Amino acid sequence: MTTADHGRQLHLNAFLMNTGHHEASWRLPESDPYAHVELDHYVHLARIAERGTFDSLFLADGPQLWGNIAQRPAGALEPLTLLTALATATRDIGLIATASTSYNSPYNLARKFASLDIISGGRAGWNIVTTAGAEAARNFGLDAEPAHAERYARAGEFLDVALKLWDSWEDDAIVGDKASGVWGDDAKVHPPRHRGTYFSVEGALNVPRSPQGYPLLVQAGSSEDGKTFAARYAEAVFTAQQTLADAQAFYADLKSRTRQAGRDPEHIKVLPGIVPVIGSTQAEARAHEQVLEEHIVHTHGVQRLEQLLQLEPGTLELDARLPADLPPESAIEGARSRYTLVVELARRERLTVRQLIGRLGGGRGHLTFAGTPEQVADAIESWFTQGAADGFNIMPAVLPSGLDAFVDHVVPLLRARGLLRTEYGPRTTLRERYGLPRPANQYVTAPAPVLV
Amino acid sequence: MTTADHGRQLHLNAFLMNTGHHEASWRLPESDPYAHVELDHYVHLARIAERGTFDSLFLADGPQLWGNIAQRPAGALEPLTLLTALATATRDIGLIATASTSYNSPYNLARKFASLDIISGGRAGWNIVTTAGAEAARNFGLDAEPAHAERYARAGEFLDVALKLWDSWEDDAIVGDKASGVWGDDAKVHPPRHRGTYFSVEGALNVPRSPQGYPLLVQAGSSEDGKTFAARYAEAVFTAQQTLADAQAFYADLKSRTRQAGRDPEHIKVLPGIVPVIGSTQAEARAHEQVLEEHIVHTHGVQRLEQLLQLEPGTLELDARLPADLPPESAIEGARSRYTLVVELARRERLTVRQLIGRLGGGRGHLTFAGTPEQVADAIESWFTQGAADGFNIMPAVLPSGLDAFVDHVVPLLRARGLLRTEYGPRTTLRERYGLPRPANQYVTAPAPVLV
């Protein structure tokens, strides 16, 4: 029995990251330090998520090696490649990959997503990122990262081109008439002939239109530029929110911006990230969390925090608070919304640098919630029913055990409360799982009236 | 029993292309006009090739939509995406994808191949192409295709950067020391810090070194620039040769150039393409071929020939020969070696345009061979033993039936003659199948002597 007809349904996304979202997770006895390059590890995780009837799974990414590999597992299989392998190992779950608009060509990327969408039977999603940081820029011929506003301007044009490419074949362009020798209807192919600021793309895509038309469009930046972009293009948004009030404000703001952009606010799904740490009692959950915190190497955390806050190395002291004179968000050209989230968290809760590192170690600014399955389900239900979320981005601190715990103990509660499907039912597309319509083709218009 | 110890072994590559290499193959009653976007079709083909203990399978590609979709199946799943899906559906066969050095970034492409190599357990190969044609250029912000020499200059620098990226992690860079919290040895990571004419790439790859070190490097251009490039980088070469004498000359030339480039000529494998059309009698084979030729739409063939020869539309007449005053190869900026092959074929055999189109329809200039299984096996053995080939690129005119026929009827003969393995034996890498050594890491040198 599916529960699709039982009222508003929760959407769940499994955010997979090697041995887990806690930076020290790889040090636990149960963890495999090579997990990040092992297909079997990811197949196992994907199948757990399918057991939990999640809408989708997700892989983050950036085209650079982060920091020093001494600190923690570094590097990852390229997400579109890994998701293609997972497509063949799963049946129902959506497959969302991060890819950068700053360091890809629209033609190549549009084609890869169309190919994944075809191979997976309509289960592809694209988490659109503009990629902060000079490290990535320097891998692609630039000396420094492009300014925040410019990255978003390029992202907007990238999307416009990609949408033209995905629409460049009408759905019924293939005729396949063997008798006459006509394979396709050339009038149903529409080359973009795009000439813009960042891109010139002349020809049609060399893949037919895919089952979903194009991948589910996902976005995760919460800066002003990010929210404007999301309101225009995104169908799902991942966000980091620490309090119910902040999450409600973000939710209302994004729905309102989406309405102002001329879109139906039901067509953008907001999924805050949550790092559930589950125990049979609250004390057991807290003990799990404690073990992870004890495995954090603080000197590494200080380095990363100084990098994020654009401070000189050696500025921060472990047992002091953040300096009072940090620059405003608008002065940050990197990951702007993450900067603000971290600074506000530290100030609101009056955290020392050591405490802040402990809090960030779990979910990099996402809400860490340690508790019993009932407490986790209550938190989810409360955000979901109080205008803070359409679903959640589930980010287990330790993988696979944390995802197993969520699926075995929290998912049954959510199902019993009528919030989550109990089975997938017939095969369908990722966009349908999220309750979104298949997009129309921009080149197909109603036939012109015949003048008599 | 494997036959690896029975003397020199033949290498077979299955060149997969939707319903077959004959341009009219899609019109046969047995063919599926949608095959080119159906994963199951390719899984089926890959498994036939594995049944025939082929070394590898191969997908050609170009980042543009070719010509008019009315003519024949157009577009294709992106090869690296498709091969990743095939990696999970196969166990032993190598997986070679075409990708362009003109329209990719080294960082992105190196990472994708490393990821495929990891996911497939060391079975990835890269057919390196520079991509001729203005159509592709115009999909990537250019108005016209870069000159032939410039495309090859860029390809050379692309390879140098890619090799640095693939070597940027030493094989034992991951330490995984949970007790001390040290995951990797940062001294074993080597950022390329490359600043060249076409590329600047600063950082190390964000994937560890893969099972093969890097994908098998394959090349298929036979122009002067192409052969120079192959001698320097390629480990396998696909080539179109119409006669034994031409194939012997090409083989000797390439081995000699490879020696001159300071490499072992055994470390470059030459695989001419062959389009086998198999019948139980020669007459039956010839009848198969006849059916295919009758399904060619000649007006399309004329258009494509005029494009290849850089002639004005309407220049060629179906029942006349090619004009006498065609330009020399050096004046061609497009697919140079293909140009020469086609012109020479037409002149040598005094073909009319109609006849030439019939000949090219089967294998686009590759050797079409219609005969009994014995005749096909004889032809293969004769080229293989007379210094014309290390193996063959098998290009069935119709798929899957032509590949089935080759595996069912020709492969047993090759095995009985001791030329081809009878089973794969233990799992191994693609490079080992081709009898090639795993490449050393350019950043690893013998330890310096300790001074006492």
Side-chain angles (χ1 to χ4, degrees):
Chain A
M1 184 194 78
T2 65
T3 52
D5 50 352
H6 290 191
R8 187 164 162 257
Q9 290 288 295
L10 193 61
H11 298 288
L12 293 184
N13 176 69
F15 184 170
L16 308 183
M17 183 175 279
N18 56 65
T19 55
H21 285 270
H22 197 287
E23 66 168 90
S25 59
W26 73 273
R27 296 184 66 189
L28 298 188
E30 72 186 73
S31 293
D32 172 3
Y34 296 89
H36 70 319
V37 287
E38 282 169 4
L39 177 60
D40 289 349
H41 174 70
Y42 283 95
V43 168
H44 181 57
L45 295 177
R47 288 180 176 160
I48 298 171
E50 272 202 327
R51 184 156 53 79
T53 57
F54 277 55
D55 294 69
S56 52
L57 60 82
F58 162 60
L59 301 170
D61 198 55
Q64 73 284 320
L65 187 61
W66 285 110
N68 185 312
I69 73 162
Q71 302 183 8
R72 54 179 175 174
L77 296 168
E78 192 279 324
L80 275 161
T81 312
L82 177 52
L83 286 194
T84 304
L86 295 183
T88 66
T90 56
R91 199 192 97 117
D92 293 294
I93 198 162
L95 307 157
I96 304 175
T98 292
S100 171
T101 54
S102 298
Y103 305 117
N104 279 292
S105 305
Y107 199 92
N108 287 342
L109 195 65
R111 186 167 179 224
K112 283 180 193 296
F113 274 109
S115 299
L116 175 60
D117 202 47
I118 290 169
I119 284 175
S120 65
R123 294 188 282 139
W126 173 21
N127 178 41
I128 306 158
V129 298
T130 67
T131 311
E135 292 79 4
R138 292 192 193 116
N139 292 339
F140 295 87
L142 303 177
D143 287 325
E145 71 184 313
H148 196 271
E150 187 175 333
R151 292 206 309 275
Y152 273 96
R154 180 180 156 114
E157 191 182 329
F158 195 114
L159 261 285
D160 292 340
V161 176
L163 291 167
K164 288 177 188 176
L165 288 165
W166 286 320
D167 284 345
S168 64
W169 294 52
E170 296 186 25
D171 287 313
D172 56 354
I174 301 176
V175 177
D177 183 347
K178 294 179 180 180
S180 68
V182 174
W183 183 78
D185 181 350
D186 217 47
K188 293 188 172 173
V189 172
H190 306 278
R193 300 202 176 90
H194 176 91
R195 297 220 157 217
T197 307
Y198 299 96
F199 306 106
S200 291
V201 178
E202 175 73 14
L205 203 61
N206 52 354
V207 187
R209 200 161 190 261
S210 72
Q212 295 191 102
Y214 47 84
L216 180 78
L217 302 179
V218 182
Q219 200 270 352
S222 299
S223 66
E224 279 299 306
D225 289 335
K227 284 188 281 192
T228 303
F229 182 90
R232 182 161 168 203
Y233 298 103
E235 298 168 284
V237 169
F238 298 148
T239 180
Q241 302 294 336
Q242 286 282 335
T243 68
L244 175 62
D246 283 354
Q248 286 170 325
F250 179 84
Y251 186 95
D253 182 32
L254 200 60
K255 296 280 178 171
S256 153
R257 286 171 190 251
T258 302
R259 196 179 294 106
Q260 280 160 36
R263 294 174 59 209
D264 182 344
E266 290 291 310
H267 292 172
I268 187 166
K269 304 297 180 187
V270 179
L271 288 83
I274 180 172
V275 182
V277 180
I278 298 165
S280 57
T281 62
Q282 196 166 5
E284 188 183 296
R286 182 63 200 133
H288 284 323
E289 202 174 36
Q290 194 68 37
V291 168
L292 285 164
E293 277 175 26
E294 281 161 10
H295 281 88
I296 290 178
V297 179
H298 284 92
T299 49
H300 298 157
V302 169
Q303 282 170 20
R304 285 197 303 272
L305 204 49
E306 286 170 343
Q307 207 165 14
L308 175 73
L309 302 178
Q310 305 194 353
L311 299 170
E312 290 298 312
T315 308
L316 295 178
E317 287 174 43
L318 258 183
D319 293 304
R321 298 205 184 125
L322 294 186
D325 56 343
L326 292 171
E329 175 180 294
S330 60
I332 300 296
E333 289 299 346
R336 203 173 264 183
S337 58
R338 187 161 149 62
Y339 171 85
T340 298
L341 182 140
V342 167
V343 172
E344 285 182 358
L345 169 66
R347 299 235 159 105
R348 186 174 57 243
E349 305 194 14
R350 307 171 68 83
L351 302 174
T352 64
V353 167
R354 185 190 301 275
Q355 289 167 328
L356 181 59
I357 288 168
R359 290 290 293 275
L360 296 176
R364 304 180 312 287
H366 291 80
L367 181 65
T368 298
F369 193 94
T372 64
E374 287 74 16
Q375 288 172 324
V376 173
D378 288 349
I380 285 176
E381 183 168 5
S382 125
W383 283 40
F384 180 60
T385 55
Q386 292 180 69
D390 295 311
F392 287 85
N393 195 12
I394 306 298
M395 303 168 58
V398 185
L399 287 168
S401 63
L403 190 59
D404 258 328
F406 187 89
V407 167
D408 290 340
H409 303 296
V410 180
V411 161
L413 299 177
L414 299 173
R415 285 175 177 159
R417 298 178 192 188
L419 298 174
L420 182 68
R421 63 179 73 84
T422 56
E423 60 179 36
Y424 283 116
R427 292 184 79 159
T428 184
T429 66
L430 171 56
R431 200 173 260 110
E432 285 179 81
R433 296 257 177 252
Y434 274 100
L436 299 162
R438 184 171 191 266
N441 187 320
Q442 64 187 294
Y443 295 108
V444 178
T445 48
V450 180
L451 300 176
V452 246
Chain B
M1 187 196 75
T2 64
T3 52
D5 50 351
H6 291 191
R8 185 164 164 257
Q9 290 288 295
L10 192 62
H11 299 289
L12 294 183
N13 176 69
F15 183 171
L16 308 183
M17 182 174 279
N18 55 66
T19 56
H21 286 270
H22 196 286
E23 64 167 273
S25 59
W26 73 273
R27 297 185 64 191
L28 298 188
E30 72 187 73
S31 293
D32 173 2
Y34 298 89
H36 69 319
V37 287
E38 281 170 5
L39 177 60
D40 289 349
H41 174 70
Y42 283 95
V43 168
H44 181 58
L45 295 176
R47 288 180 175 160
I48 297 171
E50 272 202 327
R51 184 156 53 78
T53 56
F54 277 54
D55 295 69
S56 52
L57 59 82
F58 163 59
L59 302 170
D61 198 56
Q64 72 283 320
L65 187 62
W66 285 110
N68 186 312
I69 73 161
Q71 302 182 9
R72 54 179 174 173
L77 296 169
E78 192 280 324
L80 276 160
T81 310
L82 177 51
L83 286 194
T84 303
L86 294 183
T88 66
T90 57
R91 198 192 97 117
D92 293 295
I93 198 162
L95 306 158
I96 303 174
T98 292
S100 171
T101 54
S102 298
Y103 306 118
N104 278 293
S105 305
Y107 199 92
N108 287 341
L109 196 65
R111 185 166 179 225
K112 282 179 194 297
F113 273 110
S115 299
L116 175 60
D117 202 46
I118 290 169
I119 284 175
S120 65
R123 294 188 281 141
W126 173 22
N127 177 42
I128 306 158
V129 298
T130 67
T131 312
E135 292 79 5
R138 293 191 193 116
N139 292 338
F140 295 87
L142 303 177
D143 287 325
E145 71 184 312
H148 196 271
E150 187 175 333
R151 292 206 308 276
Y152 273 95
R154 179 179 156 114
E157 191 182 330
F158 195 114
L159 261 283
D160 293 340
V161 176
L163 291 167
K164 288 178 189 177
L165 287 166
W166 286 320
D167 284 344
S168 63
W169 293 52
E170 295 186 25
D171 287 314
D172 55 356
I174 300 177
V175 176
D177 184 347
K178 293 179 181 180
S180 68
V182 174
W183 184 78
D185 181 351
D186 217 47
K188 294 188 171 174
V189 172
H190 306 277
R193 299 202 176 92
H194 176 92
R195 298 218 156 218
T197 307
Y198 299 96
F199 306 107
S200 290
V201 178
E202 176 73 15
L205 202 61
N206 52 355
V207 188
R209 200 160 190 260
S210 70
Q212 295 191 101
Y214 47 84
L216 181 79
L217 301 179
V218 183
Q219 200 270 350
S222 299
S223 66
E224 280 300 305
D225 289 334
K227 284 187 282 194
T228 303
F229 183 89
R232 182 161 169 204
Y233 298 103
E235 298 168 284
V237 169
F238 298 148
T239 180
Q241 302 294 335
Q242 285 283 332
T243 68
L244 176 61
D246 285 354
Q248 287 170 324
F250 178 84
Y251 186 95
D253 182 31
L254 201 59
K255 297 279 179 171
S256 153
R257 286 172 189 251
T258 302
R259 196 178 295 105
Q260 281 160 36
R263 295 175 57 210
D264 182 343
E266 290 291 310
H267 291 173
I268 187 166
K269 304 298 180 188
V270 180
L271 287 84
I274 180 173
V275 182
V277 180
I278 298 164
S280 58
T281 63
Q282 196 166 5
E284 188 183 293
R286 182 63 201 131
H288 285 322
E289 201 173 37
Q290 195 69 38
V291 168
L292 285 165
E293 278 175 24
E294 282 161 9
H295 281 87
I296 290 178
V297 179
H298 284 92
T299 49
H300 298 158
V302 170
Q303 282 170 20
R304 285 197 303 273
L305 204 49
E306 286 170 343
Q307 207 165 13
L308 175 73
L309 303 177
Q310 306 194 353
L311 299 170
E312 291 297 311
T315 309
L316 295 177
E317 287 173 43
L318 256 183
D319 293 304
R321 298 207 184 123
L322 293 187
D325 56 344
L326 292 171
E329 176 181 293
S330 60
I332 300 296
E333 289 299 346
R336 204 173 264 183
S337 58
R338 186 160 150 61
Y339 170 86
T340 299
L341 182 140
V342 167
V343 173
E344 284 182 358
L345 170 66
R347 298 236 159 104
R348 185 175 59 243
E349 305 194 14
R350 307 170 67 84
L351 302 174
T352 64
V353 167
R354 186 190 302 275
Q355 290 166 328
L356 181 59
I357 288 168
R359 289 292 293 276
L360 296 177
R364 303 180 312 287
H366 291 81
L367 181 65
T368 297
F369 193 94
T372 64
E374 287 74 15
Q375 289 172 324
V376 174
D378 288 349
I380 285 176
E381 183 168 4
S382 124
W383 283 40
F384 179 61
T385 56
Q386 292 180 68
D390 295 311
F392 287 85
N393 195 12
I394 306 299
M395 304 168 56
V398 184
L399 286 168
S401 63
L403 190 59
D404 258 329
F406 187 88
V407 167
D408 289 341
H409 303 295
V410 180
V411 160
L413 300 176
L414 299 174
R415 286 175 176 160
R417 298 178 191 187
L419 298 174
L420 182 67
R421 64 179 72 84
T422 57
E423 60 180 35
Y424 283 115
R427 292 184 79 159
T428 184
T429 66
L430 171 57
R431 200 174 259 109
E432 285 179 81
R433 296 258 176 253
Y434 274 100
L436 298 163
R438 184 170 191 266
N441 188 320
Q442 64 187 293
Y443 295 108
V444 178
T445 48
V450 179
L451 299 176
V452 245

